[in-house]
């Protein structure tokens, strides 16, 4: 595996490439063209400039997170053909530039949902958190306003102001989209893009829905082992794979994370590894990566990845805000650096114990 860190670009991220380069064991970044809108074609020039900037800092682009999918594709409106064609062109440009992994999601309206961006923990750190009770007590169009004051001035991915201004309109657009229609539209999209993925050896890694259940009545399909295996089978191509995000699948305590990993051998193209602490089944907060700080056994998660031969990029996911850092919630430097080092330590221990058997 390769340890990486997510980076939003020099115009949008408080963390610099020079800082990332100094985290032991981190050799690449997972990045994106953060200024691009869903449905736009990424130009070859913009991609080349992004790669050059990363490589000038002694790192490389390990993959893209995300090339966002236009709502027309998820909903299945007639103009989806134009946006799928644009997506294919972007994939072609990425493939020509030597990028072979793209993380994306197929979530309606909200890319992820949290009800707090700065819940204070007993140690004084602050974290992202979710309570179903808070969601049930609020209207969808009020979600952004309820958390906007805690973004530290950063634009949160999937919660862009221009998108949030259209929440009512988006809900109306998705009114007739249920789980089955969303699955059908995902299948159509994947079948259209697989030829370019085959040509340029691009692994598509779908990110799970977060949390792993319906929010505000919206369909959610990438939520558990049954559904993800259905997705693998409906487009049975090795380039059709997943981002295994322990924090997203783990929002549902019925999901057996190590078992899910083992069931997806050869189809996990990217991994986000993080921990959650549950106060109840519908009240969770993001914890330090250390197993004892949360609910998950991080050793068993990393061990399962090792045992299936996972060799793709991995990154610590959301970190706490610690040591007075002011950054995009979940994406500061300090706690993610600690997480990367901890995960590398687990991997080394697992690797050496396996070799000695």
């Amino acid at each position: 595996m390769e340890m990486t860190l997510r980076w939003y670009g020099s115009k949008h991220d408080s963390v610099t490439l020079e800082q990332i380069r100094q985290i032991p064991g981190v050799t690449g970044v997972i990045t994106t063209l953060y200024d691009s809108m869903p449905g736009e074609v990424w130009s070859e020039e913009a991609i080349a400039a992004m790669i050059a900037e990363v490589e000038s800092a002694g790192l490389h682009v390990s993959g893209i997170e995300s090339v966002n999918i236009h709502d027309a594709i998820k909903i299945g409106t007639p103009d989806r053909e134009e946006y799928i064609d644009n997506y294919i062109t972007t994939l072609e440009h990425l493939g020509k530039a030597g990028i072979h992994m793209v993380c994306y999601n197929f979530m309606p309206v909200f890319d992820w949902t949290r009800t707090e961006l700065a819940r204070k923990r007993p140690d004084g750190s602050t974290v992202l958190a979710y309570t179903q009770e808070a969601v049930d007590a609020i209207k969808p169009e009020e979600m952004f306003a309820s958390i906007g004051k805690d973004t530290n001035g950063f634009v949160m991915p999937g919660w862009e102001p221009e998108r949030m201004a259209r929440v009512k309109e988006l809900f109306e657009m998705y009114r007739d989209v249920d789980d089955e229609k969303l699955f059908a539209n995902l299948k159509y999209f994947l079948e259209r893009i697989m030829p370019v993925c085959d040509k340029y050896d691009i692994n598509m890694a779908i990110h799970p829905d977060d949390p792993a259940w319906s929010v505000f009545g919206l369909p959610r399909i990438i939520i558990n082992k049954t559904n993800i295996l259905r997705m693998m089978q409906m487009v049975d191509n090795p380039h059709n794979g997943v981002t295994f995000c322990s924090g997203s699948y783990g929002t549902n305590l019925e999901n057996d994370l190590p078992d899910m990993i083992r069931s997806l051998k050869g189809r996990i193209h990217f991994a986000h590894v993080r921990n959650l602490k549950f106060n109840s089944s519908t009240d969770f907060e993001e914890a330090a990566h250390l197993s004892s700080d949360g609910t998950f056994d991080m050793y068993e998660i990393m061990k399962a990845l090792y045992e299936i031969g996972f060799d793709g990029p991995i990154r610590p996911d959301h970190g706490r805000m610690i040591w007075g850092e002011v950054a995009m919630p979940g994406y500061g430097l300090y706690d993610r650096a600690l997480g990367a080092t901890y995960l590398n330590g687990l991997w080394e221990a697992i690797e050496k114990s396996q070799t000695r058997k």
Side-chain angles (χ1 to χ4, degrees):
M1 66 91 183
E2 180 191 22
M3 187 59 64
T4 67
L5 211 71
R6 190 174 188 180
W7 185 65
Y8 288 96
S10 53
K11 294 180 181 179
H12 307 284
D13 207 313
S14 63
V15 180
T16 68
L17 291 170
E18 290 71 24
Q19 290 170 327
I20 295 172
R21 181 69 179 84
Q22 294 173 34
I23 303 171
V26 173
T27 57
V29 297
I30 305 295
T31 190
T32 187
L33 294 182
Y34 202 35
D35 290 328
S36 64
M37 297 296 292
E40 290 182 356
V41 173
W42 290 18
S43 72
E44 292 180 272
E45 294 76 15
I47 293 168
M50 173 184 66
I51 292 172
E53 182 179 13
V54 172
E55 290 183 346
S56 70
L59 296 160
H60 74 104
V61 176
S62 306
I64 298 298
E65 183 181 354
S66 300
V67 180
N68 289 318
I69 295 176
H70 195 278
D71 289 297
I73 299 172
K74 299 176 189 178
I75 296 167
T77 56
D79 57 342
R80 68 178 172 179
E81 301 300 336
E82 172 191 351
Y83 293 112
I84 294 176
D85 287 343
N86 288 354
Y87 206 98
I88 289 170
T89 301
T90 292
L91 291 178
E92 186 172 41
H93 291 169
L94 290 169
K96 287 179 178 179
I99 293 175
H100 301 290
M101 191 284 291
V102 173
C103 172
Y104 70 104
N105 75 71
F106 219 72
M107 287 181 257
V109 186
F110 300 113
D111 280 6
W112 51 272
T113 308
R114 293 292 183 271
T115 54
E116 299 168 69
L117 300 183
R119 178 184 288 182
K120 194 166 185 178
R121 303 193 74 209
D123 62 6
S125 63
T126 61
V127 294
L128 303 162
Y130 179 97
T131 59
Q132 188 61 43
E133 292 78 5
V135 170
D136 293 341
I138 198 170
K139 296 178 181 177
E141 59 269 24
E142 296 171 354
M143 275 296 298
F144 181 74
S146 71
I147 63 173
K149 65 183 184 303
D150 292 326
T151 63
N152 294 329
F154 290 87
V155 176
M156 300 293 290
W159 289 76
E160 296 82 4
E162 60 271 19
R163 182 171 179 80
M164 292 302 98
R166 300 176 55 231
V167 166
K168 281 188 176 182
E169 176 190 347
L170 287 167
F171 266 79
E172 181 61 25
M173 290 167 63
Y174 280 96
R175 182 166 53 87
D176 296 325
V177 180
D178 58 12
D179 285 10
E180 289 305 311
K181 188 168 184 180
L182 198 60
F183 259 121
N185 293 340
L186 175 58
K187 181 175 186 288
Y188 185 87
F189 167 71
L190 288 169
E191 288 175 339
R192 283 285 315 277
I193 69 170
M194 281 299 109
V196 74
C197 293
D198 291 338
K199 181 177 180 179
Y200 291 101
D201 189 25
I202 297 174
N203 289 323
M204 296 298 296
I206 194 167
H207 190 283
D209 300 348
D210 190 355
W213 57 76
S214 176
V215 177
F216 297 121
L218 293 166
R220 291 287 178 96
I221 58 175
I222 309 301
I223 57 173
N224 55 30
K225 179 178 175 178
T226 299
N227 284 20
I228 198 66
L229 291 178
R230 174 183 173 180
M231 179 203 161
M232 297 297 100
Q233 292 161 3
M234 74 184 190
V235 182
D236 192 10
N237 183 312
H239 291 115
N240 172 31
V242 306
T243 295
F244 192 87
C245 178
S246 64
S248 296
Y249 283 124
T251 57
N252 185 341
L253 289 170
E254 294 182 3
N255 284 335
D256 182 334
L257 301 179
D259 173 69
M260 290 179 72
I261 291 169
R262 292 185 175 95
S263 74
L264 292 166
K265 183 176 181 179
R267 302 294 278 272
I268 297 177
H269 299 318
F270 182 29
H272 295 175
V273 181
R274 60 180 165 90
N275 205 350
L276 295 177
K277 179 177 176 58
F278 282 81
N279 301 305
S280 75
S281 61
T282 57
D283 181 338
F284 60 82
E285 59 194 46
E286 298 182 353
H289 288 75
L290 189 72
S291 295
S292 61
D293 195 54
T295 300
F296 305 151
D297 188 329
M298 307 300 281
Y299 172 84
E300 290 297 333
I301 290 170
M302 294 295 283
K303 184 169 177 282
L305 286 168
Y306 180 85
E307 288 177 349
I308 66 167
F310 173 73
D311 61 358
I314 187 171
R315 69 171 178 83
D317 206 1
H318 305 162
R320 303 166 298 148
M321 285 295 108
I322 61 173
W323 303 336
E325 185 175 21
V326 177
M328 183 188 296
Y331 288 100
L333 171 66
Y334 304 143
D335 201 45
R336 287 191 299 153
L338 294 175
T341 303
Y342 173 65
L343 297 177
N344 264 331
L346 285 176
W347 191 271
E348 180 181 353
I350 293 162
E351 191 172 43
K352 289 182 175 177
S353 66
Q354 296 287 326
T355 302
R356 290 170 182 165
K357 285 185 177 181

